[in-house]
Amino acid sequence: MIIQERIEKGYKNQIENIKNEKNREAKIKQIGALVCDLGSRSINAVAKAIESCWRYVKKCYLLVKEKLPIKNNKHKCGRKTLIEIYPELKEDIQKIIEDHLSVDPRFKSEKKICQIINPENKETTYRNRKI
């Protein structure tokens, strides 16, 4: 029996579970276990069945076969905040806006509000705007 037929007949539910899995680590383990059951020659067929790249399926297979830890680098992804890059920035901004803070006029929260528009330049901004 061809590997593709074995996958379609015997592992149909497992393929659907892999496609619907949200957790990355669980998905990697399921893919690796499926390839281990079918044999290493089934990497391409499994990749087609789950609609994924064969390199990803091979990586999953090797991680499960050799029991390697799955690296999670989510905390390293993305852009750093400016406060992480410049630690003094938060304190400097608070010093600048300290005099312009006011309490919420409707008293619905205890947050302090700061007007972005400078009251001295307010008239000039209204004059320059087209109506």
Side-chain angles (χ1 to χ4, degrees):
M1 191 183 298
I2 299 173
I3 296 173
Q4 196 69 31
E5 292 175 2
R6 282 180 60 194
I7 291 173
E8 288 174 6
K9 289 182 181 178
Y11 297 94
K12 191 173 186 177
N13 290 336
Q14 197 169 353
I15 294 292
E16 290 301 315
N17 289 340
I18 290 171
K19 285 182 181 179
N20 296 330
E21 183 65 49
K22 302 289 184 205
N23 187 354
R24 179 179 169 267
E25 293 178 13
K27 190 172 191 172
I28 288 172
K29 289 178 183 177
Q30 287 177 0
I31 293 170
L34 178 62
V35 176
C36 285
D37 287 347
L38 293 170
S40 63
R41 297 190 67 161
S42 65
I43 292 173
N44 232 351
V46 170
K48 286 179 184 176
I50 63 171
E51 299 167 1
S52 181
C53 177
W54 67 269
R55 290 181 187 93
Y56 177 69
V57 174
K58 184 176 181 179
K59 176 185 153 190
C60 296
Y61 167 66
L62 293 174
L63 285 171
V64 170
K65 179 183 169 191
E66 299 181 14
K67 298 178 183 173
L68 298 172
I70 299 169
K71 293 181 182 177
N72 187 2
N73 62 352
K74 205 168 200 174
H75 63 280
K76 295 179 184 176
C77 294
R79 183 188 276 183
K80 290 185 179 179
T81 61
L82 289 174
I83 295 171
E84 290 177 10
I85 298 170
Y86 309 107
E88 300 87 22
L89 182 66
K90 186 175 182 180
E91 296 168 7
D92 293 341
I93 291 173
Q94 285 178 345
K95 286 178 186 175
I96 292 169
I97 65 169
E98 198 171 73
D99 299 331
H100 304 288
L101 291 175
S102 61
V103 182
D104 184 14
R106 296 183 186 135
F107 299 107
K108 291 186 177 180
S109 67
E110 296 179 9
K111 290 183 181 179
K112 292 188 175 182
I113 300 170
C114 178
Q115 284 187 338
I116 296 175
I117 300 174
N118 189 356
E120 298 154 2
N121 295 337
K122 196 173 188 178
E123 293 178 18
T124 57
T125 54
Y126 285 130
R127 275 192 236 138
N128 293 338
R129 191 169 27 157
K130 294 179 181 178
I131 297 176

